[in-house]
Amino acid sequence: MFHRLFRRPQILASALAGVLLATAGSASAGQRKFAYSYETLTAPVGSVEFENWVTWKHTSGDGRADQFDFRHEFEFGVTDRLQIGLSVADWRLTDTSTGSRATYRHSGVEVIYNLTNPTTDFIGSALYGELLIGEGVIELEGKLLLQKNFGPVTLVYNAIIEAEWEGKTLKHLDERSGEFAQTLGVSYQVNPNFNVGAELLHEVALPEWRAEGKSVVFAGPNASFRAGRFFATVAGLFRVTDHDEEPDVQTRLIFGVDF
Amino acid sequence: MVGHFPRLLAGAALAVFASGCVGTVPPPVSPAMLRVSRGATAQTLEAGRITLTTRCASCHRVYPVAAYSPARWAEIVEEMAERTKLDASQQAALLAYLTAAHATPPPAPNPAG
């Protein structure tokens, strides 16, 4: 499996850059409390953060498969309310009964604009937009982010709409699909460096943007840690609805550092 | 059941957020706070409050101003300023707000309810 992976120079370079950047220098990390939900406060002006994501999805049964999705992203605080992220490389490692393969998926940009504060306003809110472009794929994603802080407890809700165009090349994007998703998260601050909580993910496929497709729900615990200027957030979600062809479990780890 | 899930989840989220008015909120800048602020302006105190509810709150909960003494707040702000990259003016405004808010008695409850 891994010798195939390392034949891909762009993937190897991306992985090495991630390891080097994540282990070099000092930083002052903000801390993500959730792995599947975004919070509404944006990064401070002038800050730069580097995040590495890995999402593992395991499907059992006849269609047994393990899928690892990786993301390497820089985030910049542009103004008090605006944050921009650059996704250097999203890539996927798939392991099935017929073999393993690694594929580069896309790169892109995301923008988060904070509207209201989750502590002082009635409700915290922000808007999120993302554009991802790959060899034969374009993805657009929009999110409404809501958050409320109650002392040590943080509640978040994300509503997500996604559109995807796929084809052999960017000039021949003849397939289109969409998805509506919602996430709900709660996190309790045990101490300033450690939070625990739970997250829920609900996905509704919108094939051809017309009919409502499968509706799948995942739920499970999360935890986030901070050590100095580094942080890590992890969540393990279990499928709680039928649809055996969907993953039984998915786990996401985000490791971040500020520069 | 699953078909109703989007509405159930959205409804639950709205109900949770509708209760947002009971959240812990740092006291707003008030005339009483200005009187004990040792010369800090309302703008400075407001800037300190914004720093508390954005920069500090992006990593951890917002602690009640009464949770620590002014001397302890000074130590905490100095320790955290480096981590959060606050400049000198932001650090001073934050400390001015925390000190003034700590010295300001909470408003008396409204007898009219």
Side-chain angles (χ1 to χ4, degrees):
Chain A
M1 179 171 96
F2 288 103
H3 76 279
R4 290 187 189 192
L5 166 65
F6 291 129
R7 277 184 202 160
R8 304 286 183 122
Q10 72 272 37
I11 293 174
L12 179 58
S14 177
L16 287 175
V19 170
L20 288 172
L21 284 167
T23 54
S26 60
S28 61
Q31 182 176 0
R32 291 183 69 119
K33 301 181 184 74
F34 304 95
Y36 287 84
S37 302
Y38 277 84
E39 293 159 70
T40 59
L41 289 176
T42 50
V45 179
S47 69
V48 180
E49 182 175 287
F50 182 65
E51 289 186 354
N52 293 281
W53 299 35
V54 57
T55 305
W56 169 49
K57 296 180 179 179
H58 174 74
T59 306
S60 59
D62 294 340
R64 185 201 72 77
D66 289 290
Q67 177 179 296
F68 299 86
D69 287 322
F70 297 88
R71 166 171 282 199
H72 312 292
E73 183 179 80
F74 288 94
E75 292 184 347
F76 306 91
V78 180
T79 73
D80 286 339
R81 294 181 181 273
L82 179 66
Q83 171 181 318
I84 291 180
L86 295 177
S87 175
V88 180
D90 295 351
W91 54 285
R92 175 173 290 172
L93 188 62
T94 308
D95 184 23
T96 65
S97 54
T98 57
S100 304
R101 71 188 191 115
T103 50
Y104 165 76
R105 298 179 65 211
H106 35 53
S107 302
V109 60
E110 70 175 33
V111 176
I112 303 177
Y113 189 78
N114 168 260
L115 299 171
T116 53
N117 185 286
T119 301
T120 55
D121 292 314
F122 179 75
I123 192 166
S125 60
L127 297 174
Y128 173 107
E130 182 179 71
L131 170 65
L132 296 170
I133 300 177
E135 289 173 6
V137 63
I138 294 178
E139 276 187 33
L140 273 176
E141 192 171 288
K143 300 184 185 187
L144 171 65
L145 317 179
L146 300 177
Q147 178 179 349
K148 189 62 193 175
N149 296 341
F150 302 93
V153 176
T154 300
L155 293 171
V156 293
Y157 171 79
N158 292 180
I160 305 148
I161 189 78
E162 179 186 312
E164 181 177 312
W165 294 263
E166 265 190 294
K168 287 183 179 176
T169 68
L170 285 176
K171 290 182 178 177
H172 300 89
L173 300 174
D174 43 14
E175 293 178 30
R176 62 181 187 178
S177 62
E179 183 179 272
F180 171 72
Q182 305 179 86
T183 67
L184 188 62
V186 59
S187 180
Y188 175 78
Q189 179 184 302
V190 178
N191 66 49
N193 293 322
F194 180 49
N195 286 261
V196 293
E199 287 186 74
L200 186 147
L201 168 66
H202 174 224
E203 297 172 325
V204 181
L206 303 172
E208 289 292 317
W209 304 346
R210 285 197 293 264
E212 181 177 307
K214 287 179 293 189
S215 178
V216 189
V217 179
F218 298 88
N222 69 16
S224 67
F225 316 86
R226 185 174 58 214
R229 298 173 173 192
F230 300 87
F231 77 87
T233 301
V234 63
L237 305 188
F238 301 88
R239 179 165 50 80
V240 295
T241 51
D242 293 334
H243 297 110
D244 291 342
E245 70 281 14
E246 293 292 324
D248 307 294
V249 61
Q250 55 177 303
T251 300
R252 177 172 292 167
L253 169 69
I254 302 174
F255 175 71
V257 58
D258 275 5
F259 296 96
Chain B
M1 167 66 187
V2 170
H4 295 293
F5 198 81
R7 287 182 286 275
L8 287 173
L9 181 55
L14 282 175
V16 166
F17 289 116
S19 63
C21 55
V22 300
T24 306
V25 180
V29 176
S30 64
M33 206 179 283
L34 275 171
R35 283 194 289 275
V36 297
S37 69
R38 299 179 190 175
T41 65
Q43 288 80 9
T44 297
L45 297 183
E46 186 57 32
R49 185 173 185 258
I50 290 171
T51 296
L52 177 67
T53 57
T54 54
R55 299 286 284 271
C56 306
S58 67
C59 289
H60 57 73
R61 65 174 291 193
V62 175
Y63 291 91
V65 290
Y68 301 106
S69 68
R72 180 65 186 126
W73 273 125
E75 293 172 356
I76 293 170
V77 169
E78 186 173 350
E79 179 187 329
M80 297 300 294
E82 184 185 353
R83 181 179 289 187
T84 55
K85 294 180 180 162
L86 296 181
D87 62 31
S89 66
Q90 291 170 319
Q91 190 176 338
L94 175 59
L95 188 56
Y97 169 77
L98 292 167
T99 305
H102 189 277
T104 305
N110 184 349

